[in-house]
Amino acid sequence: DGGITQSPKYLFRKEGQNVTLSCEQNLNHDAMYWYRQDPGQGLRLIYYSQIVNDFQKGDIAEGYSVSREKKESFPLTVTSAQKNPTAFYLCASSRASGYTDTQYFGPGTRLTVL
Amino acid sequence: KQEVTQIPAALSVPEGENLVLNCSFTDSAIYNLQWFRQDPGKGLTSLLLIQSSQREQTSGRLNASLDKSSGRSTLYIAASQPGDSATYLCAVRRGSGNTGKLIFGQGTTLQVKP
């Protein structure tokens, strides 16, 4: 089946720890995105990548880092510098980053800081 | 700065009722607008995408309209069913650049009672 997978589904982190969220797609999409969703709010863009080995900051990149070493993978690291990391994290991909391309979303990872 | 607002935040209707969800945006310079569905704890599923040159799109019992000049879109759901219960998000694609970045509203949570 083609699609986007995210792991883990639930993640717990102690304060001061870095954690990495996985996002993999087998849709052969060039562009990938990370969003954060807080309760009762819409999604906000953290980082996006238009092509392998390239990525740009979104609207709320502080305290996060990403890499794009393979076309299929776009992991997100939540660092200890992120002041309020508890949220639902969604990964998405699209065929290209152009404005006509629909983004397809993964099932999400819920991160809780203890 | 583009802002997207959805009203109401929550809606409860009896099965069979026709209903309208509203989405407004502050900057009319958009490329397109997209409606998504999100089930609890899940990712997003794209429902309808309306290009800026279009007035409406239809898929089954769903009809989405777009009025760029007034900064409004509506999602019409005909003959609602309990399976329609979910959160509905609208998102506009920014009018500048070619990065495919979406600006989301906070969503309307719909409950359809049997």
Side-chain angles (χ1 to χ4, degrees):
Chain A
D1 289 337
I4 303 175
T5 57
Q6 291 186 242
S7 62
K9 186 177 176 71
Y10 299 97
L11 185 58
F12 298 90
R13 188 195 96 171
K14 294 182 179 178
E15 287 194 20
Q17 285 183 336
N18 293 354
V19 291
T20 297
L21 283 59
S22 170
C23 177
E24 304 276 334
Q25 54 96 1
N26 61 5
L27 300 168
N28 199 33
H29 285 171
D30 285 317
M32 297 187 74
Y33 311 82
W34 274 106
Y35 293 91
R36 169 183 172 138
Q37 186 177 31
D38 293 284
Q41 298 189 32
L43 281 65
R44 291 182 290 168
L45 182 65
I46 304 172
Y47 267 98
Y48 64 99
S49 168
Q50 300 180 63
I51 198 168
V52 175
N53 292 323
D54 182 65
F55 49 83
Q56 287 82 40
K57 293 181 179 180
D59 299 317
I60 55 165
E62 185 176 352
Y64 300 97
S65 66
V66 293
S67 63
R68 185 85 187 276
E69 298 177 0
K70 298 186 298 182
K71 187 175 185 178
E72 307 81 40
S73 178
F74 191 40
L76 173 74
T77 296
V78 184
T79 75
S80 57
Q82 169 49 235
K83 301 300 182 192
N84 185 21
T86 295
F88 189 50
Y89 290 87
L90 288 158
C91 177
S93 71
S94 63
R95 187 178 53 186
S97 63
Y99 55 84
T100 58
D101 289 303
T102 299
Q103 292 183 18
Y104 296 87
F105 284 79
T109 292
R110 186 166 300 280
L111 172 64
T112 302
V113 173
L114 303 174
Chain B
K1 179 185 174 185
Q2 178 72 273
E3 293 183 0
V4 180
T5 304
Q6 292 185 247
I7 295 174
L11 183 62
S12 180
V13 300
E15 182 177 4
E17 194 163 294
N18 301 327
L19 58 100
V20 174
L21 306 181
N22 297 295
C23 172
S24 62
F25 46 95
T26 55
D27 186 348
S28 61
I30 64 170
Y31 278 129
N32 56 44
L33 182 145
Q34 200 163 356
W35 282 93
F36 293 90
R37 169 184 172 138
Q38 184 177 32
D39 291 292
K42 307 285 186 178
L44 276 64
T45 301
S46 179
L47 297 173
L48 291 163
L49 185 150
I50 311 176
Q51 302 295 346
S52 61
S53 59
Q54 297 175 319
R55 299 284 290 182
E56 64 179 313
Q57 281 284 335
T58 299
S59 176
R61 294 183 294 108
L62 304 179
N63 176 277
S65 67
L66 174 65
D67 185 342
K68 268 184 59 176
S69 61
S70 66
R72 294 183 181 181
S73 176
T74 61
L75 179 67
Y76 175 82
I77 302 177
S80 59
Q81 303 170 358
D84 295 330
S85 299
T87 296
Y88 292 81
L89 295 139
C90 70
V92 300
R93 197 174 302 270
R94 298 183 188 183
S96 60
N98 192 32
T99 58
K101 290 191 280 188
L102 297 172
I103 307 296
F104 284 83
Q106 71 274 38
T108 293
T109 298
L110 172 65
Q111 182 184 31
V112 180
K113 297 179 179 179

